Amino acid sequence: MRHLAEQLAIPIKALDSFDWQGRTAKRQRTEILSWLGIRRMAAADWDALALWLRAELLPGDHSLEQLTERTDDWLRSQGLESPGTHRLDRLLRAEAHAYESRLLTDIADHISDTSRTALDRLLGAADDGVDEPENGDTSAPEREISFSHLRRDAGHVSLETLLQELAKLKAIRGLVLPTVTPAMVPPKWLQKFRQRASIESIWDLRRHPTHIRYGLAASFCFQRQHEIVDGLIDLLMRIIHKIDNKAEKKVEEQLLEDFRRVRGKTGVLFRLAEAAVDHPDDSVKQALYPVVGLQTLKDLVKEHKATGPAFRRVVHTVLRASYSNHYRRMLPHLLDALEFRSNNEAHRPVIDALNLLRQHRDSRQQYFAIDEVPVKGVIRDKWLEIVIDEDKDGKERINRINYEICVLQSLRERLQCKEIWVVGAERYRNPDDDLPADFGERREAYYEALGHPADVELFMASIRQTMIEALTALNQGLPKNSRVTLRPTGKNRICLTPLDAQPDPPNLQRVKAEIFKRWASTGLLDVFKEADLRIGFSKAFHSASTREVVDRATLQRRLLLCLYGLGTNTGLKRVLTDEHATTYKELRYVRERFVRKDALRDAIARVVNATFAVRQTAIWGNGGTTCASDSKKFGAWDQNLMTEWHIRYGGRGVMIYWHVEHKSVCIYSQLKRCSSSEVAAMIEGVLRHESDRRYRITIPIATARAKLVSRFAICSASSCFHASRRLPRKNCISRRPAVAPTTRILNRC
């Protein structure tokens, strides 16, 4: 009415006497809709809308708000009048429910009677709450696996954990479930069914109708199978890394107990040679001991053993003992459960070696003939003399246990870079599946979209030129930078002087004082609640079930309490007080059904976008593309599979990697391992922050090993990443390196 009054240049009160429900109003509305080319929906339009929803929107598993927004756009494009909020909401809910039921029915129809019987037995198995096999026998875990066991994640890195995961994988494969393809069930719906089955109790799953029960259970098992395979690969790689490091550490501790490095070995050698030449007929004790003492000679021998080939032999001896006496039991089970493949012929020897070990799994022979096993590409050069032995006749042969260790080490290296992939895995799947399905036909278009040339030589030339420019800038800037010094010795060769903290602006102190004067006792929970009332980020959280029985106002209060307890590490029980008519069971219900990673990402994006929208340009300036990224270590228990020992900070924990906009707004955060690449985490945050801003990154050397060089050599363009927002643009060097500098990196610089 206000808009009409402004258009007609009359007071708004003059419209109060108009009969909005009369025949004149209806006729005028009809004329307006006719002039705009908009008509009311007929029966055929409702059918067309339903077909469009099933073909375009529903496979993506969008929220109700997204469905409503996209449907309004479709109605506008078709020249149709919106049927009203209530009627449209009923249609969208009904179509979503019918689509979900049809998907579950399709899954259930493809399950055989034998698989249904196995699923019923899995859902009806007794759960004693214990994952470990009975009687401590972990070599052949044959105990019955229940549905609750399949839900649990793996424990700490050990052989027992790996065997337990193998038992879970064997139980799922024993169900003989059909393969759920994307053509049958869209991936987002399959993930939704898996999430729904994981949060419902066994009792609730048994109460469902037949098609829902079998559909949810089959979807969960199908997705869980991929997750278990990925977890097995992670466990395998970490176990190999563990036994290798443990053996090396054990040998170092034994050798360093009485190890003392000898200084001036050249002078010692000269004195020994001079004494031997001057007294060739005397005994060693008479000629050499007076010149070089016995203790010095012993220290020389110990130093050589601790640093030369003898050290590697001792390490391999300890590693062999640990592997053969304990960890070797995992090899037959892994070879039976996992199928390794490679698309590169250069890594075919490792696959052939695994097939050879699989063929001889029941054999007791201790040696292989050197001509029947692949050697090149499997055994490192430094281990050749340890793996290859000679028999009594002087003929070379392969030590079987040492060869198995080398095969596992080579397998670990190639799994990390996906040169070898695993059938049935998700993260370690065939790298060709990561490309779009039409990549072969639209290769040129994809290269053009990425901004890269299709010719590999041109691409390498541009990367090489970027590296040259970056390293040249580093070479020219280091001598003139008073805050960077190069040490000739020591572990950390590059020393960075911390920047002096800038004083706080006077106005900032006044603003803080005024805010504290007005809101001296404002709690964090009140700020959290006020942000939701203004932004509505709690609307991003939806139930994993088919319907929500709790009203939105009650759900909003429980969501805020749950998110506050999880975000501040206070806990769900501690946030409950007598003032809140909420129980711990209700908060657990909200956490299990509503709090998911995708919903948290959406909520964070809403808060970030709202922050950008309310910024005043006069105070904050125009938004740019600069963004800082860095990680911080947090301690964590060993039971967490992400927990690793940090070689720089020490202690066990995980890394949280943040992307912070240049005005101190966190736009993205992610959990990563201590040893994983920070370059990969940096790029992921730039691509998936989902805020309205678009950030760009320039990395001269896009490899994890060159992260240190790239931090020093990043150009001072507007798109560079600064390690600190206080850092001057002309001196684009971080306050501390990302990794410990090594001599090799310095030589490359």
Side-chain angles (χ1 to χ4, degrees), residues 332-391:
H333 300 287
L334 280 173
L335 295 178
D336 291 341
L338 303 179
E339 182 180 355
F340 300 95
R341 295 183 183 179
S342 177
N343 300 334
N344 194 338
E345 290 296 329
H347 306 283
R348 187 65 193 177
V350 180
I351 303 297
D352 296 337
L354 291 173
N355 294 332
L356 177 69
L357 296 180
R358 185 180 290 107
Q359 295 172 5
H360 292 80
R361 54 165 297 173
D362 298 327
S363 175
R364 292 183 175 273
Q365 66 182 100
Q366 300 179 5
Y367 297 94
F368 293 134
I370 194 171
D371 55 349
E372 68 173 337
V373 298
V375 175
K376 186 178 180 180
V378 178
I379 306 177
R380 303 176 185 176
D381 294 339
K382 64 180 181 180
W383 298 120
L384 285 174
E385 59 181 8
I386 299 176
V387 178
I388 301 178
D389 296 338
E390 290 185 358
D391 56 9

Side-chain angles (χ1 to χ4, degrees), residues 48-114:
L49 176 59
L51 290 175
W52 178 77
L53 287 173
R54 289 192 290 268
E56 300 293 335
L57 290 188
L58 293 179
D61 188 26
H62 299 287
S63 63
L64 183 62
E65 291 81 2
Q66 294 172 333
L67 289 176
T68 304
E69 182 179 356
R70 295 285 299 277
T71 303
D72 288 338
D73 295 338
W74 184 83
L75 292 174
R76 193 177 298 110
S77 64
Q78 298 295 322
L80 298 175
E81 182 183 3
S82 178
T85 304
H86 180 68
R87 191 174 182 184
L88 183 61
D89 182 76
R90 288 184 58 187
L91 171 68
L92 295 178
R93 291 180 183 273
E95 289 295 332
H97 178 72
Y99 187 81
E100 178 181 351
S101 299
R102 184 164 56 254
L103 292 179
L104 291 173
T105 303
D106 291 341
I107 297 175
D109 291 342
H110 285 79
I111 301 176
S112 63
D113 295 337
T114 305

